[in-house]
Amino acid sequence: ALLSKTGVGSQTELVRLLVSLNGAADDRGAGSSKFVRRGETFRFRQRDGRMVPFHRFGPADGKPFILFHGMLDGCDLTEAAADLLDAHGLTLFAPERPYFGSAAGAEGTIKSAPARFACDVEDLMDHLDLPRAGLIGHMAGSIYAFAAGAHLGERATAIISVAGGVPILSADQFTPMSPRQRLVAYTARYTPKLLPFVLRAGIRQLDFGGEENFMRALYEQAPADLAAIDHDDVAEIVASGYHFTIAQGHRAFEIDSYQVVRDWSATVARSTAPVTLIHGRHDPVVHIASVEAFAARLGNRAQLCTDDNAGQLIFYSNPDFVFDALTGAGGRAGAPA
């Protein structure tokens, strides 16, 4: 299937294609200055000695939620979303995951990354003196939100997935993706050792100022998302998220790419918090049918909130819808203490 999707006739040709894409791509170090930053930025020392950066948005005394960023979106909010936090009385704490942005790397296998980050979140909540909090997973961050829910137990009052990934039970779930996204998905699932070639080629494009082309290619089959990025604020946030991901090279994206193409249903089953799935009907990456099926498997534990006019960028294009649903999710679980 991967050979068919990429239009090559053999594994040898596929390797040649990936090598040519890689070309002169160079390893990057940390320190990109292209991140957008709203809110306040802090650091705390995690149990293994790493200093973990995190960002706070909203009023200091609002209902607390931990925001788990995805693999291309970063930790920032649009101005409209940030303003809504005050209106709804919500406070978001967004920790950076290892290898993203300025966060140090962490020892361990790729497979164990969500479980290990759950410990970081527990340490963050202890640092902030938060007995309980809601968990918001944005895009690929949904995997990490469910892993944290499994680790935290009753300390997690709710799990909210915004444009989130779902467990992959069949490769058919890749079908609605754009060609570029399918290439990454099939490579990550079936030939993960080749993934760095694809990812470093994308880094090379971004290094040369190709944010606009990168966005257009990513959302070429999603008119709702193309319309969203025509707004300067959204385009700025999305482009900033790309640079946040590649600040230290391809490692962060490689780890998440492994996670999002696999069946992580067992992680979901280990948590008991109520689940709210907030999704755009025109999401080009995680098709609404996959989300509906996931909600059905969760039964009474889950509530699905669908925006019929949004795509994957629902958090940026319609923050009113997201925060209305999020506030309802907090009510379902009881106000976080």
Side-chain angles (χ1 to χ4, degrees), residues 193-228:
K193 290 184 179 179
L194 298 179
L195 191 61
F197 289 112
V198 178
L199 303 183
R200 291 176 65 193
I203 291 173
R204 183 69 172 176
Q205 181 182 4
L206 290 172
D207 279 347
F208 281 86
E211 293 95 343
E212 177 72 16
N213 290 337
F214 196 90
M215 279 188 275
R216 298 287 170 184
L218 200 63
Y219 296 115
E220 61 184 351
Q221 296 180 334
D225 289 320
L226 289 177

PDB file of all heavy atoms in Angstrom, residues 193-228:
ATOM      1  N   LYS A 193      11.583   2.839  10.209  1.00  0.00           N
ATOM      2  CA  LYS A 193      12.992   3.212  10.117  1.00  0.00           C
ATOM      3  C   LYS A 193      13.256   4.202   8.978  1.00  0.00           C
ATOM      4  O   LYS A 193      14.291   4.867   8.955  1.00  0.00           O
ATOM      5  CB  LYS A 193      13.854   1.959   9.938  1.00  0.00           C
ATOM      6  CG  LYS A 193      13.915   1.078  11.190  1.00  0.00           C
ATOM      7  CD  LYS A 193      14.854  -0.090  11.013  1.00  0.00           C
ATOM      8  CE  LYS A 193      14.919  -0.942  12.287  1.00  0.00           C
ATOM      9  NZ  LYS A 193      15.824  -2.105  12.135  1.00  0.00           N
ATOM     10  N   LEU A 194      12.334   4.268   8.018  1.00  0.00           N
ATOM     11  CA  LEU A 194      12.485   5.211   6.913  1.00  0.00           C
ATOM     12  C   LEU A 194      11.884   6.577   7.236  1.00  0.00           C
ATOM     13  O   LEU A 194      12.073   7.528   6.488  1.00  0.00           O
ATOM     14  CB  LEU A 194      11.812   4.656   5.652  1.00  0.00           C
ATOM     15  CG  LEU A 194      12.375   3.352   5.085  1.00  0.00           C
ATOM     16  CD1 LEU A 194      11.572   2.931   3.855  1.00  0.00           C
ATOM     17  CD2 LEU A 194      13.841   3.512   4.720  1.00  0.00           C
ATOM     18  N   LEU A 195      11.163   6.671   8.338  1.00  0.00           N
ATOM     19  CA  LEU A 195      10.443   7.890   8.653  1.00  0.00           C
ATOM     20  C   LEU A 195      11.335   9.129   8.747  1.00  0.00           C
ATOM     21  O   LEU A 195      10.950  10.198   8.257  1.00  0.00           O
ATOM     22  CB  LEU A 195       9.657   7.708   9.948  1.00  0.00           C
ATOM     23  CG  LEU A 195       8.637   8.792  10.299  1.00  0.00           C
ATOM     24  CD1 LEU A 195       7.573   8.896   9.220  1.00  0.00           C
ATOM     25  CD2 LEU A 195       7.988   8.497  11.649  1.00  0.00           C
ATOM     26  N   PRO A 196      12.524   9.041   9.350  1.00  0.00           N
ATOM     27  CA  PRO A 196      13.359  10.250   9.426  1.00  0.00           C
ATOM     28  C   PRO A 196      13.653  10.884   8.071  1.00  0.00           C
ATOM     29  O   PRO A 196      13.783  12.108   7.976  1.00  0.00           O
ATOM     30  CB  PRO A 196      14.642   9.743  10.099  1.00  0.00           C
ATOM     31  CG  PRO A 196      14.179   8.602  10.944  1.00  0.00           C
ATOM     32  CD  PRO A 196      13.112   7.929  10.124  1.00  0.00           C
ATOM     33  N   PHE A 197      13.737  10.082   6.988  1.00  0.00           N
ATOM     34  CA  PHE A 197      13.974  10.653   5.667  1.00  0.00           C
ATOM     35  C   PHE A 197      12.833  11.590   5.272  1.00  0.00           C
ATOM     36  O   PHE A 197      13.054  12.694   4.770  1.00  0.00           O
ATOM     37  CB  PHE A 197      14.099   9.539   4.617  1.00  0.00           C
ATOM     38  CG  PHE A 197      15.358   8.726   4.728  1.00  0.00           C
ATOM     39  CD1 PHE A 197      15.308   7.405   5.106  1.00  0.00           C
ATOM     40  CD2 PHE A 197      16.589   9.293   4.446  1.00  0.00           C
ATOM     41  CE1 PHE A 197      16.459   6.650   5.203  1.00  0.00           C
ATOM     42  CE2 PHE A 197      17.754   8.551   4.543  1.00  0.00           C
ATOM     43  CZ  PHE A 197      17.693   7.223   4.925  1.00  0.00           C
ATOM     44  N   VAL A 198      11.605  11.139   5.502  1.00  0.00           N
ATOM     45  CA  VAL A 198      10.440  11.950   5.159  1.00  0.00           C
ATOM     46  C   VAL A 198      10.387  13.199   6.024  1.00  0.00           C
ATOM     47  O   VAL A 198      10.171  14.317   5.532  1.00  0.00           O
ATOM     48  CB  VAL A 198       9.141  11.126   5.342  1.00  0.00           C
ATOM     49  CG1 VAL A 198       7.912  11.980   5.024  1.00  0.00           C
ATOM     50  CG2 VAL A 198       9.157   9.891   4.453  1.00  0.00           C
ATOM     51  N   LEU A 199      10.611  13.044   7.302  1.00  0.00           N
ATOM     52  CA  LEU A 199      10.469  14.156   8.231  1.00  0.00           C
ATOM     53  C   LEU A 199      11.542  15.214   8.025  1.00  0.00           C
ATOM     54  O   LEU A 199      11.275  16.409   8.075  1.00  0.00           O
ATOM     55  CB  LEU A 199      10.511  13.627   9.667  1.00  0.00           C
ATOM     56  CG  LEU A 199       9.458  12.562   9.994  1.00  0.00           C
ATOM     57  CD1 LEU A 199       9.538  12.168  11.455  1.00  0.00           C
ATOM     58  CD2 LEU A 199       8.066  13.049   9.652  1.00  0.00           C
ATOM     59  N   ARG A 200      12.762  14.771   7.771  1.00  0.00           N
ATOM     60  CA  ARG A 200      13.843  15.742   7.577  1.00  0.00           C
ATOM     61  C   ARG A 200      13.667  16.507   6.273  1.00  0.00           C
ATOM     62  O   ARG A 200      14.081  17.665   6.165  1.00  0.00           O
ATOM     63  CB  ARG A 200      15.187  15.043   7.649  1.00  0.00           C
ATOM     64  CG  ARG A 200      15.513  14.533   9.061  1.00  0.00           C
ATOM     65  CD  ARG A 200      16.811  13.761   9.098  1.00  0.00           C
ATOM     66  NE  ARG A 200      17.950  14.593   8.782  1.00  0.00           N
ATOM     67  CZ  ARG A 200      19.166  14.106   8.506  1.00  0.00           C
ATOM     68  NH1 ARG A 200      19.356  12.802   8.494  1.00  0.00           N
ATOM     69  NH2 ARG A 200      20.151  14.927   8.240  1.00  0.00           N
ATOM     70  N   ALA A 201      13.026  15.884   5.285  1.00  0.00           N
ATOM     71  CA  ALA A 201      12.714  16.618   4.056  1.00  0.00           C
ATOM     72  C   ALA A 201      11.728  17.738   4.345  1.00  0.00           C
ATOM     73  O   ALA A 201      11.852  18.845   3.815  1.00  0.00           O
ATOM     74  CB  ALA A 201      12.144  15.658   3.010  1.00  0.00           C
ATOM     75  N   GLY A 202      10.739  17.460   5.201  1.00  0.00           N
ATOM     76  CA  GLY A 202       9.794  18.499   5.599  1.00  0.00           C
ATOM     77  C   GLY A 202      10.476  19.611   6.366  1.00  0.00           C
ATOM     78  O   GLY A 202      10.167  20.796   6.176  1.00  0.00           O
ATOM     79  N   ILE A 203      11.418  19.258   7.230  1.00  0.00           N
ATOM     80  CA  ILE A 203      12.184  20.264   7.973  1.00  0.00           C
ATOM     81  C   ILE A 203      12.947  21.163   7.013  1.00  0.00           C
ATOM     82  O   ILE A 203      13.000  22.384   7.179  1.00  0.00           O
ATOM     83  CB  ILE A 203      13.148  19.576   8.961  1.00  0.00           C
ATOM     84  CG1 ILE A 203      12.358  18.914  10.094  1.00  0.00           C
ATOM     85  CG2 ILE A 203      14.141  20.589   9.540  1.00  0.00           C
ATOM     86  CD1 ILE A 203      13.218  18.084  11.022  1.00  0.00           C
ATOM     87  N   ARG A 204      13.527  20.548   5.997  1.00  0.00           N
ATOM     88  CA  ARG A 204      14.286  21.315   5.011  1.00  0.00           C
ATOM     89  C   ARG A 204      13.394  22.358   4.336  1.00  0.00           C
ATOM     90  O   ARG A 204      13.794  23.507   4.147  1.00  0.00           O
ATOM     91  CB  ARG A 204      14.861  20.357   3.958  1.00  0.00           C
ATOM     92  CG  ARG A 204      15.736  21.017   2.897  1.00  0.00           C
ATOM     93  CD  ARG A 204      17.028  21.519   3.481  1.00  0.00           C
ATOM     94  NE  ARG A 204      17.945  21.977   2.439  1.00  0.00           N
ATOM     95  CZ  ARG A 204      19.113  22.534   2.681  1.00  0.00           C
ATOM     96  NH1 ARG A 204      19.518  22.697   3.923  1.00  0.00           N
ATOM     97  NH2 ARG A 204      19.887  22.932   1.694  1.00  0.00           N
ATOM     98  N   GLN A 205      12.173  21.954   3.991  1.00  0.00           N
ATOM     99  CA  GLN A 205      11.245  22.879   3.361  1.00  0.00           C
ATOM    100  C   GLN A 205      10.920  24.041   4.284  1.00  0.00           C
ATOM    101  O   GLN A 205      10.905  25.204   3.862  1.00  0.00           O
ATOM    102  CB  GLN A 205       9.958  22.155   2.964  1.00  0.00           C
ATOM    103  CG  GLN A 205       8.942  23.065   2.284  1.00  0.00           C
ATOM    104  CD  GLN A 205       7.658  22.345   1.932  1.00  0.00           C
ATOM    105  OE1 GLN A 205       7.488  21.177   2.248  1.00  0.00           O
ATOM    106  NE2 GLN A 205       6.751  23.047   1.266  1.00  0.00           N
ATOM    107  N   LEU A 206      10.675  23.756   5.555  1.00  0.00           N
ATOM    108  CA  LEU A 206      10.347  24.815   6.500  1.00  0.00           C
ATOM    109  C   LEU A 206      11.537  25.733   6.748  1.00  0.00           C
ATOM    110  O   LEU A 206      11.382  26.941   6.942  1.00  0.00           O
ATOM    111  CB  LEU A 206       9.858  24.206   7.812  1.00  0.00           C
ATOM    112  CG  LEU A 206       8.493  23.528   7.747  1.00  0.00           C
ATOM    113  CD1 LEU A 206       8.214  22.792   9.048  1.00  0.00           C
ATOM    114  CD2 LEU A 206       7.397  24.541   7.472  1.00  0.00           C
ATOM    115  N   ASP A 207      12.744  25.152   6.766  1.00  0.00           N
ATOM    116  CA  ASP A 207      13.945  25.959   6.978  1.00  0.00           C
ATOM    117  C   ASP A 207      14.100  27.035   5.913  1.00  0.00           C
ATOM    118  O   ASP A 207      14.660  28.103   6.156  1.00  0.00           O
ATOM    119  CB  ASP A 207      15.192  25.071   6.966  1.00  0.00           C
ATOM    120  CG  ASP A 207      15.417  24.370   8.291  1.00  0.00           C
ATOM    121  OD1 ASP A 207      14.774  24.755   9.276  1.00  0.00           O
ATOM    122  OD2 ASP A 207      16.230  23.435   8.336  1.00  0.00           O
ATOM    123  N   PHE A 208      13.600  26.755   4.719  1.00  0.00           N
ATOM    124  CA  PHE A 208      13.726  27.704   3.619  1.00  0.00           C
ATOM    125  C   PHE A 208      12.455  28.533   3.433  1.00  0.00           C
ATOM    126  O   PHE A 208      12.156  29.006   2.344  1.00  0.00           O
ATOM    127  CB  PHE A 208      14.099  26.970   2.331  1.00  0.00           C
ATOM    128  CG  PHE A 208      15.558  26.629   2.260  1.00  0.00           C
ATOM    129  CD1 PHE A 208      16.033  25.467   2.835  1.00  0.00           C
ATOM    130  CD2 PHE A 208      16.465  27.492   1.664  1.00  0.00           C
ATOM    131  CE1 PHE A 208      17.388  25.155   2.791  1.00  0.00           C
ATOM    132  CE2 PHE A 208      17.812  27.186   1.625  1.00  0.00           C
ATOM    133  CZ  PHE A 208      18.286  26.026   2.192  1.00  0.00           C
ATOM    134  N   GLY A 209      11.684  28.667   4.514  1.00  0.00           N
ATOM    135  CA  GLY A 209      10.532  29.557   4.482  1.00  0.00           C
ATOM    136  C   GLY A 209       9.339  29.016   3.742  1.00  0.00           C
ATOM    137  O   GLY A 209       8.544  29.787   3.187  1.00  0.00           O
ATOM    138  N   GLY A 210       9.172  27.711   3.754  1.00  0.00           N
ATOM    139  CA  GLY A 210       8.075  27.122   3.003  1.00  0.00           C
ATOM    140  C   GLY A 210       6.826  26.883   3.817  1.00  0.00           C
ATOM    141  O   GLY A 210       6.079  25.938   3.524  1.00  0.00           O
ATOM    142  N   GLU A 211       6.569  27.706   4.837  1.00  0.00           N
ATOM    143  CA  GLU A 211       5.411  27.472   5.693  1.00  0.00           C
ATOM    144  C   GLU A 211       4.108  27.473   4.905  1.00  0.00           C
ATOM    145  O   GLU A 211       3.243  26.615   5.106  1.00  0.00           O
ATOM    146  CB  GLU A 211       5.326  28.532   6.799  1.00  0.00           C
ATOM    147  CG  GLU A 211       6.433  28.469   7.828  1.00  0.00           C
ATOM    148  CD  GLU A 211       7.564  29.425   7.489  1.00  0.00           C
ATOM    149  OE1 GLU A 211       7.624  29.877   6.307  1.00  0.00           O
ATOM    150  OE2 GLU A 211       8.382  29.724   8.377  1.00  0.00           O
ATOM    151  N   GLU A 212       3.963  28.443   3.998  1.00  0.00           N
ATOM    152  CA  GLU A 212       2.718  28.562   3.248  1.00  0.00           C
ATOM    153  C   GLU A 212       2.483  27.316   2.397  1.00  0.00           C
ATOM    154  O   GLU A 212       1.387  26.733   2.412  1.00  0.00           O
ATOM    155  CB  GLU A 212       2.759  29.808   2.358  1.00  0.00           C
ATOM    156  CG  GLU A 212       1.544  29.995   1.473  1.00  0.00           C
ATOM    157  CD  GLU A 212       0.301  30.403   2.246  1.00  0.00           C
ATOM    158  OE1 GLU A 212       0.426  30.827   3.403  1.00  0.00           O
ATOM    159  OE2 GLU A 212      -0.810  30.288   1.674  1.00  0.00           O
ATOM    160  N   ASN A 213       3.497  26.872   1.656  1.00  0.00           N
ATOM    161  CA  ASN A 213       3.344  25.678   0.822  1.00  0.00           C
ATOM    162  C   ASN A 213       3.096  24.439   1.673  1.00  0.00           C
ATOM    163  O   ASN A 213       2.327  23.546   1.289  1.00  0.00           O
ATOM    164  CB  ASN A 213       4.590  25.476  -0.044  1.00  0.00           C
ATOM    165  CG  ASN A 213       4.717  26.526  -1.129  1.00  0.00           C
ATOM    166  OD1 ASN A 213       3.732  27.133  -1.532  1.00  0.00           O
ATOM    167  ND2 ASN A 213       5.940  26.748  -1.592  1.00  0.00           N
ATOM    168  N   PHE A 214       3.764  24.379   2.823  1.00  0.00           N
ATOM    169  CA  PHE A 214       3.588  23.243   3.722  1.00  0.00           C
ATOM    170  C   PHE A 214       2.133  23.170   4.205  1.00  0.00           C
ATOM    171  O   PHE A 214       1.507  22.102   4.203  1.00  0.00           O
ATOM    172  CB  PHE A 214       4.543  23.389   4.909  1.00  0.00           C
ATOM    173  CG  PHE A 214       4.740  22.136   5.709  1.00  0.00           C
ATOM    174  CD1 PHE A 214       5.740  21.234   5.389  1.00  0.00           C
ATOM    175  CD2 PHE A 214       3.923  21.859   6.795  1.00  0.00           C
ATOM    176  CE1 PHE A 214       5.929  20.076   6.139  1.00  0.00           C
ATOM    177  CE2 PHE A 214       4.103  20.700   7.545  1.00  0.00           C
ATOM    178  CZ  PHE A 214       5.106  19.815   7.214  1.00  0.00           C
ATOM    179  N   MET A 215       1.590  24.299   4.618  1.00  0.00           N
ATOM    180  CA  MET A 215       0.203  24.342   5.086  1.00  0.00           C
ATOM    181  C   MET A 215      -0.763  23.970   3.975  1.00  0.00           C
ATOM    182  O   MET A 215      -1.714  23.205   4.177  1.00  0.00           O
ATOM    183  CB  MET A 215      -0.138  25.740   5.624  1.00  0.00           C
ATOM    184  CG  MET A 215       0.335  26.005   7.038  1.00  0.00           C
ATOM    185  SD  MET A 215      -0.289  27.581   7.695  1.00  0.00           S
ATOM    186  CE  MET A 215       0.917  28.724   7.053  1.00  0.00           C
ATOM    187  N   ARG A 216      -0.539  24.531   2.792  1.00  0.00           N
ATOM    188  CA  ARG A 216      -1.441  24.271   1.669  1.00  0.00           C
ATOM    189  C   ARG A 216      -1.431  22.792   1.294  1.00  0.00           C
ATOM    190  O   ARG A 216      -2.473  22.211   0.982  1.00  0.00           O
ATOM    191  CB  ARG A 216      -1.035  25.116   0.460  1.00  0.00           C
ATOM    192  CG  ARG A 216      -1.124  26.611   0.682  1.00  0.00           C
ATOM    193  CD  ARG A 216      -2.554  27.097   0.726  1.00  0.00           C
ATOM    194  NE  ARG A 216      -2.627  28.499   1.169  1.00  0.00           N
ATOM    195  CZ  ARG A 216      -3.756  29.145   1.376  1.00  0.00           C
ATOM    196  NH1 ARG A 216      -4.913  28.537   1.185  1.00  0.00           N
ATOM    197  NH2 ARG A 216      -3.753  30.397   1.801  1.00  0.00           N
ATOM    198  N   ALA A 217      -0.251  22.179   1.319  1.00  0.00           N
ATOM    199  CA  ALA A 217      -0.169  20.755   0.988  1.00  0.00           C
ATOM    200  C   ALA A 217      -0.840  19.902   2.053  1.00  0.00           C
ATOM    201  O   ALA A 217      -1.490  18.903   1.745  1.00  0.00           O
ATOM    202  CB  ALA A 217       1.299  20.347   0.827  1.00  0.00           C
ATOM    203  N   LEU A 218      -0.688  20.307   3.301  1.00  0.00           N
ATOM    204  CA  LEU A 218      -1.255  19.533   4.403  1.00  0.00           C
ATOM    205  C   LEU A 218      -2.780  19.539   4.359  1.00  0.00           C
ATOM    206  O   LEU A 218      -3.437  18.541   4.670  1.00  0.00           O
ATOM    207  CB  LEU A 218      -0.765  20.114   5.734  1.00  0.00           C
ATOM    208  CG  LEU A 218      -0.834  19.214   6.964  1.00  0.00           C
ATOM    209  CD1 LEU A 218       0.061  18.004   6.807  1.00  0.00           C
ATOM    210  CD2 LEU A 218      -0.439  20.004   8.204  1.00  0.00           C
ATOM    211  N   TYR A 219      -3.347  20.684   3.953  1.00  0.00           N
ATOM    212  CA  TYR A 219      -4.800  20.833   3.986  1.00  0.00           C
ATOM    213  C   TYR A 219      -5.416  20.973   2.593  1.00  0.00           C
ATOM    214  O   TYR A 219      -6.495  21.551   2.447  1.00  0.00           O
ATOM    215  CB  TYR A 219      -5.170  22.050   4.847  1.00  0.00           C
ATOM    216  CG  TYR A 219      -4.785  21.884   6.291  1.00  0.00           C
ATOM    217  CD1 TYR A 219      -3.823  22.705   6.890  1.00  0.00           C
ATOM    218  CD2 TYR A 219      -5.371  20.889   7.068  1.00  0.00           C
ATOM    219  CE1 TYR A 219      -3.464  22.540   8.218  1.00  0.00           C
ATOM    220  CE2 TYR A 219      -5.012  20.713   8.401  1.00  0.00           C
ATOM    221  CZ  TYR A 219      -4.062  21.549   8.962  1.00  0.00           C
ATOM    222  OH  TYR A 219      -3.705  21.377  10.276  1.00  0.00           O
ATOM    223  N   GLU A 220      -4.743  20.388   1.595  1.00  0.00           N
ATOM    224  CA  GLU A 220      -5.216  20.560   0.222  1.00  0.00           C
ATOM    225  C   GLU A 220      -6.600  19.960  -0.006  1.00  0.00           C
ATOM    226  O   GLU A 220      -7.316  20.360  -0.932  1.00  0.00           O
ATOM    227  CB  GLU A 220      -4.220  19.939  -0.760  1.00  0.00           C
ATOM    228  CG  GLU A 220      -4.004  18.442  -0.590  1.00  0.00           C
ATOM    229  CD  GLU A 220      -2.931  17.907  -1.527  1.00  0.00           C
ATOM    230  OE1 GLU A 220      -2.495  18.664  -2.411  1.00  0.00           O
ATOM    231  OE2 GLU A 220      -2.534  16.744  -1.371  1.00  0.00           O
ATOM    232  N   GLN A 221      -6.997  18.989   0.804  1.00  0.00           N
ATOM    233  CA  GLN A 221      -8.308  18.366   0.657  1.00  0.00           C
ATOM    234  C   GLN A 221      -9.280  18.811   1.750  1.00  0.00           C
ATOM    235  O   GLN A 221     -10.261  18.124   2.025  1.00  0.00           O
ATOM    236  CB  GLN A 221      -8.158  16.839   0.680  1.00  0.00           C
ATOM    237  CG  GLN A 221      -7.354  16.302  -0.503  1.00  0.00           C
ATOM    238  CD  GLN A 221      -7.212  14.790  -0.475  1.00  0.00           C
ATOM    239  OE1 GLN A 221      -7.259  14.168   0.578  1.00  0.00           O
ATOM    240  NE2 GLN A 221      -7.024  14.192  -1.643  1.00  0.00           N
ATOM    241  N   ALA A 222      -8.986  19.940   2.362  1.00  0.00           N
ATOM    242  CA  ALA A 222      -9.814  20.417   3.476  1.00  0.00           C
ATOM    243  C   ALA A 222     -10.140  21.894   3.291  1.00  0.00           C
ATOM    244  O   ALA A 222      -9.471  22.761   3.859  1.00  0.00           O
ATOM    245  CB  ALA A 222      -9.093  20.192   4.796  1.00  0.00           C
ATOM    246  N   PRO A 223     -11.164  22.226   2.502  1.00  0.00           N
ATOM    247  CA  PRO A 223     -11.510  23.633   2.271  1.00  0.00           C
ATOM    248  C   PRO A 223     -11.754  24.419   3.553  1.00  0.00           C
ATOM    249  O   PRO A 223     -11.398  25.603   3.640  1.00  0.00           O
ATOM    250  CB  PRO A 223     -12.789  23.543   1.430  1.00  0.00           C
ATOM    251  CG  PRO A 223     -12.711  22.205   0.753  1.00  0.00           C
ATOM    252  CD  PRO A 223     -12.022  21.301   1.734  1.00  0.00           C
ATOM    253  N   ALA A 224     -12.348  23.777   4.565  1.00  0.00           N
ATOM    254  CA  ALA A 224     -12.615  24.494   5.822  1.00  0.00           C
ATOM    255  C   ALA A 224     -11.317  24.935   6.484  1.00  0.00           C
ATOM    256  O   ALA A 224     -11.235  26.035   7.036  1.00  0.00           O
ATOM    257  CB  ALA A 224     -13.417  23.598   6.772  1.00  0.00           C
ATOM    258  N   ASP A 225     -10.284  24.087   6.420  1.00  0.00           N
ATOM    259  CA  ASP A 225      -9.012  24.447   7.032  1.00  0.00           C
ATOM    260  C   ASP A 225      -8.251  25.461   6.183  1.00  0.00           C
ATOM    261  O   ASP A 225      -7.570  26.341   6.719  1.00  0.00           O
ATOM    262  CB  ASP A 225      -8.165  23.194   7.253  1.00  0.00           C
ATOM    263  CG  ASP A 225      -8.726  22.317   8.367  1.00  0.00           C
ATOM    264  OD1 ASP A 225      -9.172  22.873   9.381  1.00  0.00           O
ATOM    265  OD2 ASP A 225      -8.715  21.088   8.219  1.00  0.00           O
ATOM    266  N   LEU A 226      -8.353  25.353   4.862  1.00  0.00           N
ATOM    267  CA  LEU A 226      -7.725  26.353   3.998  1.00  0.00           C
ATOM    268  C   LEU A 226      -8.324  27.728   4.260  1.00  0.00           C
ATOM    269  O   LEU A 226      -7.609  28.735   4.270  1.00  0.00           O
ATOM    270  CB  LEU A 226      -7.891  25.968   2.530  1.00  0.00           C
ATOM    271  CG  LEU A 226      -7.077  24.761   2.044  1.00  0.00           C
ATOM    272  CD1 LEU A 226      -7.409  24.451   0.590  1.00  0.00           C
ATOM    273  CD2 LEU A 226      -5.577  25.015   2.203  1.00  0.00           C
ATOM    274  N   ALA A 227      -9.631  27.769   4.484  1.00  0.00           N
ATOM    275  CA  ALA A 227     -10.273  29.043   4.806  1.00  0.00           C
ATOM    276  C   ALA A 227      -9.789  29.566   6.157  1.00  0.00           C
ATOM    277  O   ALA A 227      -9.589  30.773   6.337  1.00  0.00           O
ATOM    278  CB  ALA A 227     -11.795  28.876   4.821  1.00  0.00           C
ATOM    279  N   ALA A 228      -9.571  28.641   7.106  1.00  0.00           N
ATOM    280  CA  ALA A 228      -9.118  29.055   8.440  1.00  0.00           C
ATOM    281  C   ALA A 228      -7.743  29.694   8.393  1.00  0.00           C
ATOM    282  O   ALA A 228      -7.497  30.709   9.051  1.00  0.00           O
ATOM    283  CB  ALA A 228      -9.113  27.856   9.389  1.00  0.00           C
TER     284      ALA A 228
END
